[in-house]
Amino acid sequence: MTAIAVWCVATVMGAAGGLVLDGTYGQFRKWNAGVNGTLEMEFKTRSPNGLLMYTDDGGTYDFFELKMVEGTMRLRYNLGAGAQILMAGHDLYDGRWHRVAIERRGRVTALTVDNATSAAASAGKELQFGRLASNSAVYVGGMPGWYNGRLTRLALPSVIFEPRFSGAVRNIVYTDDFYPYPRRQTAVTDTNRQPKVST
């Protein structure tokens, strides 16, 4: 199945069932997390494990990795002072819609799943998330295969080996330094105008 075919399926199901990800991934515009911003989405799955979202600073050290681990949402991130982990929710593979949000407020990063929140303060002095020019796109559901030969372009190279998310996502919304008001995101297109949602 080509990228276009997968995108058409996702678009048709977008209103009712969300973007269906089953061995596929979606590529969305960069999240300019800066020092204040949020990234949220709704998801549903029957699988207890899988990479839901990843973005980084282009291979230096800053990253956000959001994944299901045995039915619990785990956020692993680095803002320059070493990796930190937040976990929230449990038994999230019940096939129902759940809301997950990452929120940055200066030194504090929070992970919220439904009504459960976990937060921690970063120890580093540099709180800015990368530089927009070199930051990666936001990948939802898995990583593009082309990273296999370019692991040095990943701040967390092991992310390429994570199992892909199997389920559906919808209402991907960012706020960031460029857009302080919530904005729903759509898949990014390349120079050939082909949506970056592929197997």
Side-chain angles (χ1 to χ4, degrees), residues 49-92:
N49 300 293
L51 179 67
L52 186 57
M53 186 278 299
Y54 180 82
T55 188
D56 72 15
D57 63 0
T60 308
Y61 48 74
D62 293 344
F63 67 84
F64 285 102
E65 178 200 48
L66 186 64
K67 64 184 270 191
M68 292 272 290
V69 179
E70 299 301 319
T72 295
M73 192 60 69
R74 185 182 86 177
L75 173 65
R76 183 164 45 160
Y77 65 99
N78 187 355
L79 298 172
Q84 294 182 259
I85 293 177
L86 297 173
M87 299 181 85
H90 57 85
D91 299 327
L92 298 173

Side-chain angles (χ1 to χ4, degrees), residues 66-131:
L66 186 64
K67 64 184 270 191
M68 292 272 290
V69 179
E70 299 301 319
T72 295
M73 192 60 69
R74 185 182 86 177
L75 173 65
R76 183 164 45 160
Y77 65 99
N78 187 355
L79 298 172
Q84 294 182 259
I85 293 177
L86 297 173
M87 299 181 85
H90 57 85
D91 299 327
L92 298 173
Y93 57 106
D94 57 5
R96 298 181 180 181
W97 287 107
H98 297 278
R99 178 185 167 272
V100 58
I102 301 167
E103 183 177 10
R104 293 212 56 215
R105 292 291 175 255
R107 194 169 297 279
V108 177
T109 299
L111 171 67
T112 300
V113 179
D114 298 329
N115 295 316
T117 299
S118 178
S122 296
K125 295 178 182 177
E126 174 56 55
L127 299 176
Q128 182 76 22
F129 183 83
R131 293 189 312 272

Side-chain angles (χ1 to χ4, degrees), residues 1-11 19 24-28 139 186-199:
M1 188 177 284
T2 66
I4 288 294
V6 173
W7 174 252
C8 290
V9 169
T11 301
L19 175 65
T24 61
Y25 73 94
Q27 179 177 327
F28 295 81
Y139 298 106
T186 55
V188 175
T189 56
D190 65 16
T191 55
N192 295 320
R193 309 300 295 167
Q194 293 182 350
K196 297 276 192 169
V197 178
S198 62
T199 55

